DNA sequence: ATGCCATGCTCCGCATGA
């Protein structure tokens, strides 16, 4: 089973680009972030024609996430627990940044699509909102881990975990994506017992997933790695590989992010993982 | 220190992004 994550930066502005990639890559499951539309204006028929079931959690203008799957979807959750009073202004959090579904494959896999708050500028309410959202995500991940099932939390985490994840790390000092608090929260999430696909797959340094539209960032390969799959132990046992689709940044009307795809072995009884075989 | 680009809406300027 191949599971993709992609921040598309407006699904309607990007539809031909997104469909072209989907037809070529043909993942079984796709998590979109920044669809930038309400559910009623999500182009679901275009994806259904490609054989996908579609669940969305949209919002006008900003944010918005979706899960597409060639297998049936059930047990849909829209939004993280704990929205009460958790908005950036102290009101309830109504930003559409999380959707979760159970993928009803022969071996079921739960998948969560994440669009973590950017948090800039540091020094405004946006940064504590980011950290509070991270705390809610980590609490939810702890609850999911207690189920002892295969699950994958993937998406745009808006965190540069290590200096190696940026071409020019000095440019990001002071940015919310590279703040010690942001990096510590991401590390704390992993320390709950999740595995990051780029580490399982030993992706080479310089594998980035975002390049700014401005200042020739793509042409200079001035990128950052901020889109991740985090796997529960039961999913990590089935991990077979990860691919970053860098070529998508060269398509017509590209998103500023590229898709990242993992492959899981979905045999009813998983074989030992590659790392265990090597040991 | 700022704009560099791109999106959607209030729509010809603004907010947001990373």
């Amino acid at each position: 089973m191949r599971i993709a994550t992609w921040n598309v930066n407006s699904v309607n502005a990007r539809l031909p680009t997104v469909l072209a990639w989907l037809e070529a890559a043909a993942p079984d499951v796709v998590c979109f972030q920044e669809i930038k539309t309400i559910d009623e204006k999500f182009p679901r028929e275009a994806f259904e024609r490609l054989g996908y079931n579609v669940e969305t959690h949209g919002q006008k203008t900003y944010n918005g996430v979706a899960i597409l799957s060639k297998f049936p979807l059930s047990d849909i959750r829209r939004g993280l627990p704990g929205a009460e009073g958790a908005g950036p202004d102290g009101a309830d959090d109504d930003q559409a940044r999380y959707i979760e579904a159970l993928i009803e494959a022969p071996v079921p896999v739960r998948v969560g699509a994440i669009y973590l708050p950017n948090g800039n500028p540091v020094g405004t309410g946006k940064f504590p909102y980011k950290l509070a959202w991270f705390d809610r995500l980590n609490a939810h991940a702890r609850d999911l881990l207690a189920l002892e099932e295969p699950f994958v939390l993937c998406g745009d985490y808006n965190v540069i975990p290590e200096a190696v994840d940026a071409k020019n790390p000095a440019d990001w000092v002071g940015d919310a994506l590279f703040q010690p608090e942001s990096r510590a929260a991401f590390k704390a999430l992993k320390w709950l017992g999740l595995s990051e696909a780029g580490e399982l797959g030993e992706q080479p340094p310089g594998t980035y997933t975002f390049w700014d539209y401005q200042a020739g960032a793509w042409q200079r390969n001035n990128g950052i790695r901020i889109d991740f799959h985090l796997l529960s132990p039961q999913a990590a046992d089935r991990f077979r590989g990860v691919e970053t689709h860098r070529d998508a940044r060269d398509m017509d009307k590209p998103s500023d992010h590229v898709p990242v795809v993992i492959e899981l072995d979905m045999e009813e009884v998983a074989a030992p993982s590659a790392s265990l075989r090597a040991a």
Side-chain angles (χ1 to χ4, degrees):
Chain A
M1 175 188 288
R2 297 169 68 243
I3 303 173
T5 183
W6 193 8
N7 179 324
V8 293
N9 186 17
S10 173
V11 70
N12 285 311
R14 201 83 50 222
L15 189 58
T17 308
V18 170
L19 291 173
W21 180 81
L22 260 190
E23 285 201 78
D28 301 289
V29 179
V30 191
C31 295
F32 287 145
Q33 301 88 37
E34 281 208 271
I35 61 174
K36 292 191 173 180
T37 181
I38 57 175
D39 295 342
E40 292 72 19
K41 294 184 179 174
F42 186 90
R44 66 165 49 238
E45 294 80 8
F47 297 109
E48 287 170 348
R49 278 195 289 274
L50 295 182
Y52 290 100
N53 299 294
V54 176
E55 294 289 344
T56 61
H57 181 34
Q59 178 182 339
K60 189 175 168 183
T61 310
Y62 303 120
N63 312 318
V65 286
I67 297 181
L68 280 56
S69 169
K70 295 196 171 178
F71 298 99
L73 293 167
S74 65
D75 209 5
I76 313 299
R77 161 177 280 283
R78 291 179 173 79
L80 285 171
E84 301 76 21
D89 49 6
D92 292 350
D93 182 16
D94 59 357
Q95 298 191 16
R97 297 179 174 277
Y98 186 78
I99 186 170
E100 177 186 299
L102 185 65
I103 311 296
E104 294 191 349
V107 175
V109 182
R110 197 175 302 272
V111 172
I114 287 158
Y115 178 48
L116 213 131
N118 171 304
N120 280 306
V122 174
T124 69
K126 294 186 176 189
F127 189 59
Y129 171 65
K130 175 184 192 142
L131 298 177
W133 202 95
F134 233 135
D135 285 345
R136 290 167 57 204
L137 174 62
N138 292 9
H140 186 54
R142 192 177 296 115
D143 289 343
L144 292 177
L145 279 162
L147 301 174
E148 301 190 345
E149 292 173 351
F151 72 84
V152 178
L153 299 177
C154 60
D156 176 358
Y157 281 80
N158 265 320
V159 172
I160 302 167
E162 304 294 339
V164 71
D165 297 312
K167 175 67 175 270
N168 297 318
D171 291 352
W172 298 93
V173 173
D175 191 284
L177 278 65
F178 199 48
Q179 286 301 291
E181 296 93 332
S182 307
R183 298 166 64 191
F186 185 73
K187 216 174 242 190
L189 176 57
K190 288 201 295 180
W191 282 344
L192 293 175
L194 301 177
S195 302
E196 195 265 295
E199 293 174 350
L200 290 175
E202 296 173 358
Q203 291 206 118
T207 301
Y208 306 127
T209 65
F210 169 91
W211 298 260
D212 201 291
Y213 289 119
Q214 304 180 67
W218 167 241
Q219 288 73 16
R220 298 158 178 264
N221 192 30
N222 182 12
I224 52 179
R225 193 169 77 99
I226 58 174
D227 298 86
F228 302 101
H229 295 77
L230 296 189
L231 283 66
S232 74
Q234 294 78 9
D237 277 344
R238 298 174 177 276
F239 177 82
R240 286 296 171 270
V242 57
E243 281 185 347
T244 300
H245 285 227
R246 183 186 168 84
D247 290 353
R249 193 62 176 76
D250 261 334
M251 299 177 82
D252 289 334
K253 287 211 33 143
S255 171
D256 40 9
H257 296 250
V258 295
V260 184
V261 187
I262 63 163
E263 177 158 9
L264 299 181
D265 171 6
M266 283 292 114
E267 294 299 314
E268 302 268 342
V269 178
S273 72
S275 57
L276 288 175
R277 284 202 307 272

